[in-house]
Amino acid sequence: MTQLIAMQGGYRLLPFRFMRLGGQSSREILVTTDTGEYIFLSEEQLRALVDRQLRPGTALYKDLLARHFIYEPDGHDPLPEMAAQYLSRKDFLKQGPALHLFVTTLRCNHTCQYCQVSRAPLGGAGHDMSEMDARHAVSRMFESSSDVLTVEFQGGEPLLAFPRIRQIVEEVVERNSREKRNVQFVITSTLHHLDESILDFAATHRIQFSTSLDGPAALHNANRPTPTRDAYERTVEGIHRVRARLGTDAVSALTTLTARSLEQPEAIIDEYVRQGLSSISLRPLSPYGFATKSAQRLAYPMARYLAFYHRALDYLLALNSQGTYLVESYTALLLNNVLTPFSSGYVDLRSPLGAGLGALVYNYDGDVYPSDEARMLVEMGEKGLRLGNVQQPLHELLASPAMQLLLASGVAETLPGCNDCALVPYCGSDPIEHYARQGDPVGHRAFSAFCQKNMELLRHLFVLLRDGSEETQRILLSWLSRRSLADVSLPGYRG
């Protein structure tokens, strides 16, 4: 609930929101500002704050003053500092789209039950990006004003169209010899189709790989079947090959959680430890594309995912305290939004939205979408979020009716249910998810799986920051900084 109360004399209140966290602490109320500052207060302290009963000179008074919950009319003007903080958090708005996804093919040798996109047979025709569309897409990418550009190749299985990847990378490198941008390349792949020529090319251009590892062999093979029934073995072999040729950090992995996955968080995490991976992303099932057809067999209520997440996070914290460094990537993104004045860069946690403004997808057929999720909606018969074609200039794509629809519902601070939420400074709007689940880009936050997930994960994170042991807080900070636990010291007291 936003509080802005005009007073006569003494200190004045600046805008803030609050919510009850629960837990054992007497400071059960989280209070936040638009600039992302936060503090934990007891109910008595909150009432004293609002009723203007706080005594100047106390530690709490000084803390609230420094973090811009209050100000003194005859004292320091807080607005320039607050404006600078807010501009820093929304700095991504001054940039153009930085993430550019090239869907080089729909062909794939997997038949994953939770797949979000249609699949084409390995030898199928008409499912690969053309040379001309690829060239146009590269031109659209360089029309972005972003100094940092990430080129990510997706599919299907993008390595099945490696000549197209080679073309795009070489054209980007040649163009960038004049543009002087900071360009990164990532291939999202099963790693089953690696060969030495691909690894040589990746080494030359410092290409990174991202793959899926759903857990131990039985679980991975059940979730991601192939005709030869050896998906796990070939993926693990691919991870080892990339590391041996390109270095330990050249490959990352994530897991998609089916109903059977939720029964074994420790086994999934142990598999990542066994493979020597430094991060794990515990993703719930998506509501897009082919995944909706398997929902009855694979899906679960969000409450089950959240119970899994709590158990998995407890296990991860225990492992880290014992010397095994393994980051939960989504938690690290949330920590970035809470503990730093900068955006995480993750488009789903941006407000205004990241889709289109921060990311673009060039489909195999030349169509352009604001996000991979918008592309996946095509598989559900929904083409309303198509921005246009790669032959259109970027400014035209970003002025399309679909983009205007998303922009109108893409500012979380203005949405019913979000505008008075204490967690909105750290969250996003994600209108595409609500469009997919509820048929409306604004959606109804009370029934939103996106809100249910992020509100509980953030709430739990704040409880850990408030009540967690010094060891737990050092672990969380090590995830944020991506440094070993021994190198991390706790910052000043936060509330």
Side-chain angles (χ1 to χ4, degrees), residues 107-215:
R107 292 181 292 133
C108 187
N109 65 317
H110 280 65
T111 54
C112 302
Q113 300 178 62
Y114 54 64
C115 185
Q116 299 167 344
V117 296
S118 60
R119 298 177 293 268
L122 296 185
H127 300 286
D128 291 6
M129 178 178 282
S130 71
E131 179 180 352
M132 188 56 66
D133 282 343
R135 187 163 291 121
H136 283 304
V138 170
S139 294
R140 300 294 79 76
M141 182 182 76
F142 277 106
E143 288 173 1
S144 169
S145 58
S146 178
D147 291 331
V148 177
L149 299 171
T150 297
V151 180
E152 183 172 333
F153 298 102
Q154 292 198 357
E157 169 50 63
L159 292 184
L160 293 172
F162 185 71
R164 192 63 60 237
I165 294 177
R166 181 186 293 274
Q167 173 210 338
I168 293 167
V169 170
E170 289 176 345
E171 290 189 7
V172 168
V173 170
E174 191 280 328
R175 177 80 175 263
N176 201 46
S177 65
R178 304 185 299 275
E179 296 276 355
K180 307 299 183 184
R181 313 282 186 96
N182 182 352
V183 179
Q184 305 169 33
F185 299 103
V186 179
I187 299 176
T188 299
S189 168
T190 63
L191 306 180
H192 291 196
H193 302 277
L194 285 174
D195 59 33
E196 289 306 309
S197 66
I198 292 174
L199 290 170
D200 289 342
F201 187 78
T204 299
H205 297 288
R206 293 186 296 178
I207 297 174
Q208 303 252 315
F209 287 87
S210 175
T211 193
S212 292
L213 182 63
D214 279 5

Side-chain angles (χ1 to χ4, degrees), residues 227-494:
T228 51
R229 300 182 181 181
D230 58 354
Y232 168 85
E233 290 76 12
R234 294 179 67 182
T235 293
V236 169
E237 178 191 4
I239 290 172
H240 293 164
R241 290 185 69 182
V242 171
R243 283 177 159 174
R245 184 70 175 83
L246 306 178
T248 302
D249 296 331
V251 60
S252 61
L254 52 82
T255 178
T256 300
L257 301 165
T258 60
R260 65 167 63 89
S261 305
L262 300 186
E263 301 169 1
Q264 40 191 318
E266 294 84 4
I268 293 170
I269 291 167
D270 286 344
E271 180 62 35
Y272 274 66
V273 173
R274 188 159 41 248
Q275 298 306 329
L277 293 161
S278 61
S279 67
I280 183 171
S281 180
L282 299 171
R283 301 190 308 169
L285 278 178
S286 161
Y288 306 99
F290 273 24
T292 59
K293 300 178 181 179
S294 304
Q296 284 190 328
R297 289 180 290 109
L298 304 176
Y300 38 81
M302 182 56 66
R304 276 198 67 197
Y305 166 77
L306 293 171
F308 164 91
Y309 178 89
H310 286 304
R311 180 174 155 190
L313 190 61
D314 286 346
Y315 188 59
L316 281 167
L317 291 171
L319 285 176
N320 277 263
S321 69
Q322 296 163 14
T324 299
Y325 182 77
L326 184 61
V327 178
E328 204 291 304
S329 297
Y330 198 74
T331 302
L333 291 171
L334 294 174
L335 280 169
N336 180 91
N337 286 1
V338 170
L339 297 178
T340 80
F342 309 109
S343 166
S344 67
Y346 186 63
V347 295
D348 292 351
L349 290 175
R350 283 186 177 181
S351 173
L353 78 161
L357 298 183
L360 287 172
V361 178
Y362 310 107
N363 204 18
Y364 76 99
D365 58 4
D367 285 344
V368 183
Y369 295 89
S371 73
D372 209 30
E373 291 76 17
R375 170 179 74 103
M376 294 165 187
L377 286 175
V378 174
E379 312 307 332
M380 300 165 65
E382 173 54 64
K383 294 193 175 184
L385 298 183
R386 174 182 173 272
L387 301 184
N389 188 271
V390 288
Q391 297 183 41
Q392 299 172 252
L394 180 61
H395 69 84
E396 193 173 303
L397 294 170
L398 295 183
S400 65
M403 197 66 219
Q404 298 307 308
L405 173 70
L406 295 175
L407 286 169
S409 51
V411 182
E413 291 86 347
T414 69
L415 299 177
C418 291
N419 61 346
D420 58 357
C421 177
L423 302 174
V424 74
Y426 321 108
C427 199
S429 56
D430 203 356
I432 296 175
E433 160 118 355
H434 292 93
Y435 192 86
R437 289 188 186 269
Q438 300 185 10
D440 179 88
V442 173
H444 195 313
R445 262 43 191 178
F447 302 102
S448 166
F450 174 85
C451 290
Q452 187 181 358
K453 179 185 79 169
N454 286 318
M455 287 183 70
E456 174 54 26
L457 298 192
L458 281 164
R459 188 204 66 80
H460 186 62
L461 194 54
F462 275 112
V463 170
L464 290 176
L465 291 171
R466 184 192 64 187
D467 301 340
S469 66
E470 181 174 320
E471 178 80 353
T472 292
Q473 296 192 33
R474 287 180 64 228
I475 291 168
L476 293 176
L477 288 173
S478 78
W479 290 4
L480 176 62
S481 61
R482 300 294 174 127
R483 291 183 292 159
S484 69
L485 195 57
D487 298 329
V488 174
S489 60
L490 287 175
Y493 177 65
R494 285 283 298 181

Side-chain angles (χ1 to χ4, degrees), residues 20-29 40-45 462-463 465-468 493 495:
R20 296 184 186 277
L21 287 178
Q24 302 302 314
S25 174
S26 61
R27 297 176 300 136
E28 65 169 337
I29 300 175
F40 304 113
L41 300 178
S42 67
E43 185 166 340
E44 292 74 19
Q45 289 173 325
F462 275 112
V463 170
L465 291 171
R466 184 192 64 187
D467 301 340
Y493 177 65

